[in-house]
Amino acid sequence: MSDTVSDADRIRNKRLAKLGSQATPKPDQNGDGTSDEASSKQSPQPPTSPTQEQKEQIKPKINISSSSPSPKPTDNPFAQLGVKERTAASPQISIKPGAETGMASRKPPVSDQGRQSSRGGETLPEWEDKILRGIFRLTLDPSVRTDGHGHPLSFVKSVREELEGQRQPIRLEAAILDQAILEAASDISKVTTLDYLLACWKRVTGQLKHHKGNRAEEKRLDVLKEARRLCMSYCIFAITIPEMFGREPSNTSPLLSHLLVDPEDERGICHDFLAEALSRFADDDTIEPALVGAVEDLSRQLARMTINDNYKSYVLALRHLVRYPPLVRAIARSPLFAPSSTPASELEATTLLGPFFAISPLQADITSQYFSSPKTRDRAFITNSQRSLRMSLTTHQQDLLDIVNQIIRSDRGARDTMLGWFALCVNKNHKRRALQVDKKLVSSDGFMINVTVCLDQLCEPFMDEQFSKIDRIDIEYLRRQPRVDIKEETKLNMDQNNADKFYERTAEGTNNFISEVFFLTLAAHHYGTESTNQMLSQLEKDLKRMEKHIEEIEVDRHKWINSPAQLKMFDNAVKKYKDQIDKGLSYKYAVQGVLLDETMQTRSLQFMRYVIVWLLRLVSATNFPKQSIKLPLGSNPSNVFEALPEYFLEDVVGAYRFVMRNMPWTISSTQSDELIILCITFLRNSEKIKNPYLKSGLVTIMFAGTWPAPNRPKGVLGDLLMGMPIATEHLLHALMKFYIEVENTGAHTQFYDKFNIRYEIFQIIKCVWDNSVYREHLDEESKVNVDFFVRFVNLLLNDVTFVLDESLTAFQQIHNLSEELQNPQHLEQAVRQEKEEALSGAKSKAKSYMQLTNETVAMLKLFTEALADAFTMPEIVQRLADMLDYNLDVLVGPKSIELKVENPREYDFQPKALLADIIEIYLNLKSKESFIFAVARDGRSYKPANFEKATSILRLKAKDLMSPEELRAWTALGAMFKKAKEADDQAEEDLGEIPDEFLDPVMATLMTDPVILPTSKSIVDRSTIRSHLLSDPTDPFNRAPLKIEDVIAATELKGQIEAFKAEKRGAKLAEVNIMDTSPG
């Protein structure tokens, strides 16, 4: 190389030599270093940048030459970039669009007429020099270092030296622009190479936009286009080969900082830049990985941020980038987008979209900042903080939707990848619905809520009021290799083995987008918002338990008062526990703030409405809602419905239950109609669903729907329940059917669960009882479906008997223990502590059972009034009479004094009101002779004095509870009981000794309708075995299974008994008229 090469050139040569290629260039077909293709008159093509592999194997070729002749043409390392060989004295890099235009052949551009182009006396070369200096802020004059606006200029020394060496005008032109750009970009010290080049890009693009398109300006336009092309090429080099400019490669993309500023900013990545870069995808395979790498770095940096950091610029950057379908397709091919091996706990940190969806006010430590010192905050502060976080989250969720929408709309491949990412989120988070959730193994609540909200919004376009697209939701989706994993999910009414066999048969066809999104959204609700609802309920219970524990701990503070060291340890332990409570309370307020977003819940209920209609169409095989559903449904099983995951219905129940309790005003009237139809349909046909607790959720929804709300005294659903035809015809039967079913739920808590469920059933019945249509339907059905009503009445009696006994016994315990503890000094400490604990237990028991007692007795009062016949059937009437007599004795008999407790209203215990209710039940059945005799035959508790005492109490101390007419009826009824007792005793005396074979072996009474039990061959009265089978479906003598239909009438024995009775007392008993209460 010639000695005339400057020191700067030697440094550049050394740097470029490192980038030299080992590849052989294409043959020189034209003798000037260009091929035929290069010398053809085609339009300029964007240069391509080498990929990482090219950097290692086919490195950029750089033509470095001096003024001395070369023995043979040197290889051209930048041939693939359009770099041409030069014979200039100094090293040059030339990026050309086509044929070579060396400096030796430079001529001033001429106009179409052969004249020098001018504008106001300015020649084209002069304009070219001025415009290129302004765009790239270059100078060839070392004394001029700023432009007219004060902007610093880069002195391109090597270019000037080359021009001087070739005795060319000291002027910039397109032919030497590539060398000038490289030198300027390499010497930039105050900004990065990309900063400089992007600013140049903005300026050249602006010039092009304002340039006129007439023919006279074509030469100028060519100059600007070439400048723009070269600028883009060097931008790509700055991103992909920073070594070319003497820069060390960075661990993060050079584009990252530029993506985070506004696209219109000088440092920003504008639309024109991206459009040009994307247009070169096919020719330059380094651009795609560079852009995708920048997006991946965006995601990695955002993963370290929270909603309190400057996250917005990252979200806006991605939202801007996904507007370009080619880039979206490239991003979707990123290995970070949806790697299937990612565990649930890492989805929001390591997948490409995860950090964007992780931004939430529920992120770690953020809740404590929103709700610091939560116990000291008033309701107004909490409400305002919740409103603030909702506003921030709503805006962010809208940005997420925009991003997802752009990805889905770009093309099918990207759409499938996006849906695959959603599927990954739900499939990996099955453990979020475990009984005990380990938060270290699952995605966060905030992340999953964002996923759910986004999917809800994706469903909005096809959820119209007319359900015009509901047929597009294809049930066969679940048998066509679905994205949603339902294999291990509990099914509605099918065991695991049968479900596996059902889903083994793959359905033909392909899944449409609506089906994909619908089933993904259902799963997202289950593992997202509904899981968070479940967590919130458990958190509230845990906080109450922790508060109670703190109170218990503080009681022991006095033990350490004289030991400072131990007292300090005690205080530290208490503080740590209180800090945990504060943290939990802050999280609770934050979760409530997120979930109580009215817009979010309205959108969620709109989706759930579609789920309801879809389920009802499926189970009823009708075109609901255009066709009404006929109940009860057919008995033919529907495998398609029974094999559905249980959470399809559970999500609906959970969503409406949450809204009913917290924001019922968001439920529209049309949603209420369909919700009632859903509840009644599945309770009336309860055999369609296996899980009793899922069915109890339907009861809970209706129960919550009857709670008084603003301007709705009967709640959201109460008025509709009063008038909807499907409700008046089927609601009571459905509730009574489930009342019977919950006697045995199969859970270890079934005994307590059934009372809670039945309490809710009572409230619904009370809400609609004023409508006489209900009572008329019930009366008609009780005469047709006798066995059904007998089972219901039997269980109702069981409940009344149990809760009354438990309640009144608890009050007796409270009374006795309170008296014993009035003088605690006479008791040993251990004994006193034991009695105090027993008293506390009795009080707790009295509170819980008394509420059930009041509701159960009230329900018995309603039903005995409406269905007196059902309560006086032979298998029921004696149990009812015994129960009433016993409790009347407890309330007014000698031991009634033991029911006196301090502050009875604390337990909702009103003994006089309870006495009035029991008397009203007696009065409801006063016209039934079988009831009169049943009361009189109660040898344990029937006492005429109790009736007189009850009359005295109500007349003197509770006049407002019963009217004078009712009191007179009660007095007359007491006389009827007394007369029946006398007649029955006389009849027993007249019968004399009864043969043993005529006596019922269980009740020891004379049989009236003896039957033979088929397996044990024992003979009992029919009423006895019917009563037994109501609660135990076995033979009482050998425990063999037994149904009432299996017993055999003992006709011969019955005849003998009738003959015996006729002989002994028939005529005498017939003469007695017990219903006559007139004097004398």
Side-chain angles (χ1 to χ4, degrees), residues 475-476 478-479 491 494 496-507 638-644:
I475 185 59
E476 295 297 343
L478 298 173
R479 294 203 297 165
K491 306 305 186 290
M494 190 177 285
Q496 190 63 46
N497 289 333
N498 287 328
D500 290 343
K501 292 177 183 178
F502 177 78
Y503 285 113
E504 279 177 1
R505 299 187 296 275
T506 304
S638 171
N639 289 336
V640 173
F641 176 81
E642 293 180 350
L644 289 178

Side-chain angles (χ1 to χ4, degrees), residues 1053-1070:
L1053 180 60
K1054 182 177 181 179
Q1056 294 173 7
I1057 293 172
E1058 292 295 336
F1060 172 77
K1061 288 164 60 178
E1063 178 184 352
K1064 294 289 187 178
R1065 65 169 190 174
K1068 187 174 184 65
L1069 189 60

Side-chain angles (χ1 to χ4, degrees), residues 189-260:
S189 58
K190 294 183 180 180
V191 295
T192 68
T193 302
L194 193 56
D195 277 331
Y196 166 72
L197 292 170
L198 281 174
C200 296
W201 170 266
K202 294 286 179 70
R203 290 191 287 272
V204 71
T205 302
Q207 287 290 338
L208 276 169
K209 287 181 178 178
H210 293 94
H211 199 74
K212 296 179 180 179
N214 55 52
R215 293 185 62 190
E217 299 290 327
E218 284 185 4
K219 295 297 182 180
R220 294 175 185 254
L221 190 61
D222 290 342
V223 171
L224 292 173
K225 287 181 177 178
E226 177 65 1
R228 184 175 185 268
R229 186 187 68 80
L230 288 171
C231 187
M232 171 56 69
S233 298
Y234 276 103
C235 284
I236 294 170
F237 293 154
I239 296 167
T240 59
I241 319 174
E243 304 97 317
M244 181 176 178
F245 304 93
R247 309 281 180 173
E248 291 297 324
S250 173
N251 292 328
T252 58
S253 169
L255 277 171
L256 181 58
S257 62
H258 300 278
L259 290 172
L260 296 176

Side-chain angles (χ1 to χ4, degrees), residues 598-613:
E598 190 167 323
T599 301
M600 183 186 94
Q601 291 297 344
T602 301
R603 190 183 296 121
S604 172
L605 292 186
Q606 176 67 7
F607 174 75
M608 290 303 165
R609 182 190 179 203
Y610 244 67
V611 178
I612 288 174
V613 172

Side-chain angles (χ1 to χ4, degrees), residues 419-420 423-424 426-427 474-487 503-507 509-511 515-516 519-520 645 647-648:
L419 295 178
L424 186 69
V426 296
N427 291 335
D474 187 0
I475 185 59
E476 295 297 343
Y477 168 87
L478 298 173
R479 294 203 297 165
R480 199 181 287 128
Q481 298 179 337
R483 298 181 194 275
V484 180
D485 181 10
I486 64 168
K487 181 176 177 57
Y503 285 113
E504 279 177 1
R505 299 187 296 275
T506 304
T510 57
N511 293 323
S515 297
E516 294 265 25
F519 289 105
L520 278 171
Y647 72 74
F648 279 32

Side-chain angles (χ1 to χ4, degrees), residues 66 80 230 267 309 312 330 336 375 396-397 429 445 529 680 700 792 826 934 994 996 1054 1070:
S66 68
Q80 76 273 25
L230 288 171
R267 297 184 65 248
D309 297 320
K312 189 71 175 178
L336 294 185
K375 287 186 178 179
H396 177 58
Q397 288 171 344
N429 276 290
D445 294 320
T529 50
I680 294 176
T700 300
F792 170 75
H826 299 300
I994 302 174
D996 290 342
K1054 182 177 181 179

